[in-house]
Amino acid sequence: MKPIGHWLLAAPALLAAALVYAFPMLGNPALWTVALLMLLGSARHGRRRPLWGVAAALLVGLCLALLLALLMDRFDIRYVWLYSSAALPWHLKLANLWGGDEGTVLLLAALCLPAAFRYAGRPGLEGSFNGLLAAWYVAAAAWLGPFTATPADWLAARDSQGMNAHLQTIWMALHAPLILAAYAWALAPAGAALRSLAGQASDYAGVAAIYGRRAWLVLTAGIGFGMVWALEDFTFGQLWHWDPVQTSAFIVWALLGAVLHGIRRWQEAGSFARLLPLLSLLGAAATCLAMAVTRSEVLVSSHRYIGTTSWLSHLLLAGVFLLAAVGLGLRALWQRRATVRRTADWTLQVAVLGFALMALLAVLALLQAHLRQWLGVAKPEEQKPFFETLMMWADSSEILALRQVFAQWDVDGYALAHWLLPFVLALGLVGGFSFLRKVLVRRWAIAVTALVIGLCVLLIRHGGWLSEHYAGRGVLSQRVVAALPWLDAALLAALFLLLACTLWCISSVWRSRRLGTLRHTGSLALIHGGAVLALVGGFAATALNSYLPILLQPGDDLAQWRGITGDLQVRVLPAEGQLDYSGYAALARVEMRENGEEIQGQALFRDARQLPPGYQGPVRQLCEILDYRYARHQGDPGYILNPFIIRSWLVDTQVWVPASPRLLAAAEAADSAQETLVVVRRYPLVSLVWTGFAAMLLGTLLLPAWARAKRR
């Protein structure tokens, strides 16, 4: 579509938005109309652009209407009543467009439109595929009914249900839409991949390079923002714990990484001729699977859409992609192409296959967890941390519920880490050698790589930095001890990759005497170096995290300073908190002192409408903070704890204060018979994670575009 076309669609889009906002009952029928127009345009090549243009104007107008309804508190629309409230700030009201499944699917359909228009003139499925994809998701949104009227008894009971407390953060406005945009772009190359596997001419290389790079960029950013969010939420509590939704996102990320490593060498009858299109199709299947897993209740998860669910539409589409990949992949193997114009370098082949195999291992781990849950396999005690402790404190009415919560399967993160670490190790070594041989004489590159391999073997046998510093003071199971030597070896291989890539970058600029070379070599150095920094920080923060419970006994002076480690001291005092926009109040003042310097802030957010149930003792409070399974079982959508966080380059320190009658009451009326629990958690080198993510994103943005690289 020419640029003027977008302006021509603006007027009908605004008109559609105004009409649907004024008459919401028109919204759901309009969605069915959009789906029909997209289908007709896919079938009629000659009239595709005008039909899709009308559909796009309607769809954009419907999205604007729902945004306006959220902003203006139109609680007569069920979607707005379910997920928003009048007290929310404007950015959270708008973020509720993806706060529920109906709006999420609607937004996903809209995000599929630009790729549909860009390739509308292509023949066959390459031109119609993204339009069919948008039609599918528009139909799914229409079936869910985002513009359905709110039942009268709901409105009579309360003004609105309100936003989930865990979503009331700025990260909601960043993390979720980035993930959705990444998923839409990961689906875009599937049509061209289908034609390529069918042996027909296509622009697969261009589509996969453009949209694969965009998808990888925003998915990496979305995962990074999700990690920041996770560290602040007590129903998550870790950077990464192989939650089913995290595992699904990793599968998509790894498959995108495999395609991007090989796409510049792809040829229709040569390098990666069948493999990369097949991986793109599998990536599309994994994308739909990720969205289905997010909405599934089979496995225990920190991510969960509550209420209306579209999991079946995503799962059916994933099945279609998977069947197409298997069928066309077998056909391509049967009809081997005789001409091979150019064979990719073996190190590049290892990179592509390594990322693909890591994705496969994650798929197997996810499938294994689902099979165990469906077959009713008993979960071993070692995978139920804190369960025995909680059973000692549970009454008879809660024991059955606790057994059900902890019996539900999730992904075995420790086993999956054991499977993945050898691949991370191999990729670091091969990648380091690949860059090093471009700088040194081949025999010297081989010798240095052999030396690093020998050091990695020694680390696997005897351990290294992580093994030496691990003290078992964190929330990880002791099963992590067996993985620590592999983690040490993987870190060494990653550092080897970082140094080799940096050396190649400097050498390339020096040899060419052209700063223009820096854009290509420097971008690759930033991407690979950033990945190394993120790995080092992530491994350190996960394996070496620690927690320290501080129990304030009845009669203790709350104003007394209590030591944490070294010169670091903390104290927690009652505070008269002011209600914020969502009805939550900070009711504890946290003060920390180190080397004579004092820092203070607030923690402990609670629902002002009701006290959270079931707080009978500090042991249960500690389990709630440290184990997300119990936090989800014990809490409710209207209850959340926010820690006081001090971030630094070396370590992040968090102070968690659960609901305490002694703190919730005014100081003069405090019940001296109540114990108060304070939990201090520390995560070393988290700053490397954020630095690494920033470097990867910057490198991807600076990397020369596909067209310029192809001409060069």
Side-chain angles (χ1 to χ4, degrees):
M1 179 179 293
K2 297 180 180 180
I4 189 64
H6 296 292
W7 295 106
L8 291 175
L9 294 178
L14 292 175
L15 178 61
L19 284 173
V20 174
Y21 177 78
F23 306 100
M25 72 287 297
L26 299 176
N28 294 334
L31 283 173
W32 287 113
T33 303
V34 171
L36 180 60
L37 290 173
M38 296 300 295
L39 285 174
L40 290 174
S42 299
R44 303 291 298 274
H45 186 278
R47 299 184 179 180
R48 180 172 297 167
R49 288 187 181 275
L51 287 172
W52 282 5
V54 175
L58 275 176
L59 185 56
V60 171
L62 290 166
C63 290
L64 291 175
L66 192 54
L67 281 172
L68 188 59
L70 288 165
L71 191 61
M72 302 304 293
D73 301 327
R74 287 290 302 273
F75 298 127
D76 55 318
I77 300 174
R78 186 183 65 179
Y79 185 84
V80 181
W81 187 94
L82 283 171
Y83 302 111
S84 188
S85 68
L88 291 174
W90 66 268
H91 69 277
L92 287 181
K93 290 182 180 180
L94 296 180
N96 272 315
L97 178 63
W98 48 85
D101 211 10
E102 304 94 316
T104 299
V105 177
L106 181 64
L107 179 60
L108 181 63
L111 290 171
C112 291
L113 286 179
F117 278 108
R118 181 167 187 163
Y119 298 101
R122 301 286 183 179
L125 274 178
E126 189 174 357
S128 63
F129 172 79
N130 286 292
L132 291 171
L133 192 64
W136 176 271
Y137 279 125
V138 170
W143 178 65
L144 295 174
F147 294 95
T148 302
T150 307
D153 55 335
W154 292 12
L155 286 171
R158 61 171 72 173
D159 293 336
S160 67
Q161 180 172 264
M163 193 176 188
N164 189 316
H166 298 279
L167 305 182
Q168 294 179 17
T169 169
I170 186 60
W171 308 119
M172 174 62 179
L174 298 173
H175 167 67
L178 287 175
I179 297 294
L180 278 178
Y183 285 171
W185 289 334
L187 292 168
L194 285 168
R195 281 186 61 86
S196 179
L197 281 175
Q200 301 170 352
S202 70
D203 186 28
Y204 168 71
V207 181
I210 293 171
Y211 284 98
R213 178 175 164 182
R214 291 179 183 177
W216 189 88
L217 171 68
V218 296
L219 183 57
T220 302
I223 290 173
F225 286 128
M227 287 182 171
V228 180
W229 191 355
L231 281 180
E232 300 177 0
D233 195 313
F234 75 116
T235 60
F236 211 101
Q238 288 285 343
L239 279 168
W240 192 271
H241 61 57
W242 293 110
D243 179 270
V245 178
Q246 287 180 323
T247 306
S248 302
F250 172 80
I251 294 168
V252 179
W253 186 88
L255 288 173
L256 287 171
V259 172
L260 289 176
H261 272 85
I263 196 61
R264 293 180 184 274
R265 302 291 181 87
W266 183 85
Q267 295 179 358
E268 291 185 2
S271 301
F272 309 117
R274 293 175 295 274
L275 179 60
L276 292 191
L278 182 63
L279 291 178
S280 289
L281 273 184
L282 292 176
T287 300
C288 297
L289 180 66
M291 290 184 285
V293 169
T294 305
R295 292 146 181 83
S296 169
E297 297 183 0
V298 175
L299 302 181
V300 61
S301 173
S302 296
H303 301 77
R304 184 70 71 237
Y305 273 80
I306 300 174
T308 307
T309 177
S310 61
W311 69 268
L312 184 58
S313 64
H314 300 298
L315 192 61
L316 289 175
L317 196 55
V320 171
F321 283 128
L322 189 59
L323 289 174
V326 172
L328 290 175
L330 291 175
R331 178 181 181 274
L333 286 175
W334 181 261
Q335 300 175 347
R336 287 183 176 273
R337 299 172 185 177
T339 304
V340 177
R341 301 174 185 171
R342 183 179 180 186
T343 302
D345 179 76
W346 70 269
T347 58
L348 199 59
Q349 292 176 332
V350 169
V352 173
L353 292 175
F355 274 93
L357 289 175
M358 286 197 298
L360 176 61
L361 290 175
V363 169
L364 293 176
L366 194 62
L367 180 61
Q368 182 188 58
H370 278 88
L371 288 175
R372 285 172 170 173
Q373 183 66 34
W374 288 330
L375 296 175
V377 178
K379 196 173 183 180
E381 296 300 320
E382 63 183 10
Q383 295 189 33
K384 297 189 288 185
F386 306 107
F387 175 66
E388 293 298 330
T389 302
L390 282 168
M391 291 297 289
M392 295 173 58
W393 289 80
D395 55 31
S396 57
S397 61
E398 192 185 15
I399 287 177
L400 180 59
L402 280 176
R403 289 189 184 279
Q404 292 175 344
V405 168
F406 281 86
Q408 190 176 13
W409 278 92
D410 54 0
V411 176
D412 188 349
Y414 295 103
L416 181 55
H418 274 292
W419 297 344
L420 290 175
L421 282 172
F423 289 92
V424 175
L425 175 63
L427 287 174
L429 293 172
V430 172
F433 171 73
S434 178
F435 287 111
L436 197 62
R437 67 181 180 176
K438 299 177 182 179
V439 180
L440 303 178
V441 178
R442 185 177 181 85
R443 62 176 178 272
W444 283 106
I446 293 174
V448 173
T449 305
L451 176 62
V452 176
I453 292 174
L455 293 175
C456 288
V457 172
L458 287 176
L459 288 177
I460 293 172
R461 291 174 61 87
H462 303 291
W465 179 69
L466 287 176
S467 304
E468 179 182 349
H469 287 82
Y470 180 75
R473 293 193 294 265
V475 298
L476 295 181
S477 163
Q478 287 301 308
R479 294 173 66 195
V480 76
V481 174
L484 288 176
W486 281 96
L487 286 172
D488 283 314
L491 287 182
L492 177 60
L495 290 173
F496 173 55
L497 171 61
L498 171 62
L499 293 175
C501 189
T502 304
L503 183 61
W504 168 71
C505 174
I506 296 172
S507 174
S508 299
V509 176
W510 176 258
R511 289 174 180 174
S512 66
R513 300 294 198 277
R514 294 171 58 190
L515 286 177
T517 307
L518 187 61
R519 182 171 181 188
H520 176 67
T521 59
S523 297
L524 291 179
L526 282 171
I527 293 171
H528 291 86
V532 172
L533 290 178
L535 274 176
V536 173
F539 285 166
T542 302
L544 304 182
N545 78 86
S546 62
Y547 71 89
L548 175 67
I550 301 175
L551 187 60
L552 307 180
Q553 299 290 348
D556 286 352
D557 183 9
L558 293 179
Q560 179 183 351
W561 290 94
R562 287 165 175 81
I564 301 175
T565 176
D567 296 327
L568 186 62
Q569 297 175 308
V570 65
R571 66 179 178 183
V572 180
L573 303 170
E576 294 295 335
Q578 298 294 322
L579 294 181
D580 68 357
Y581 52 80
S582 56
Y584 296 88
L587 298 174
R589 187 172 83 249
V590 178
E591 298 179 0
M592 301 195 74
R593 182 168 65 185
E594 185 174 17
N595 298 325
E597 296 184 2
E598 292 188 14
I599 302 175
Q600 62 178 322
Q602 292 181 319
L604 177 58
F605 281 73
R606 70 177 179 90
D607 190 339
R609 292 164 292 184
Q610 60 180 359
L611 284 174
Y615 287 90
Q616 290 90 4
V619 173
R620 296 168 68 95
Q621 295 173 345
L622 181 63
C623 291
E624 182 185 58
I625 294 173
L626 299 181
D627 194 323
Y628 71 94
R629 300 172 188 83
Y630 183 61
R632 290 186 62 85
H633 160 71
Q634 187 67 14
D636 58 60
Y639 171 65
I640 190 170
L641 299 176
N642 277 2
F644 172 61
I645 304 176
I646 298 178
R647 295 184 172 90
S648 69
W649 285 105
L650 292 179
V651 63
D652 280 22
T653 302
Q654 302 179 346
V655 181
W656 294 80
V657 187
S660 165
R662 192 177 182 191
L663 289 174
L664 296 180
E668 64 273 12
D671 185 355
S672 60
Q674 293 289 338
E675 297 173 314
T676 298
L677 177 71
V678 177
V679 179
V680 180
R681 304 183 71 170
R682 310 199 84 195
Y683 296 91
L685 301 181
V686 179
S687 59
L688 292 183
V689 178
W690 317 137
T691 304
F693 270 98
M696 283 191 288
L697 297 176
L698 180 61
T700 307
L701 288 172
L702 294 178
L703 195 65
W706 162 252
R708 290 196 295 272
K710 191 174 182 181
R711 286 196 298 270
R712 184 175 64 248

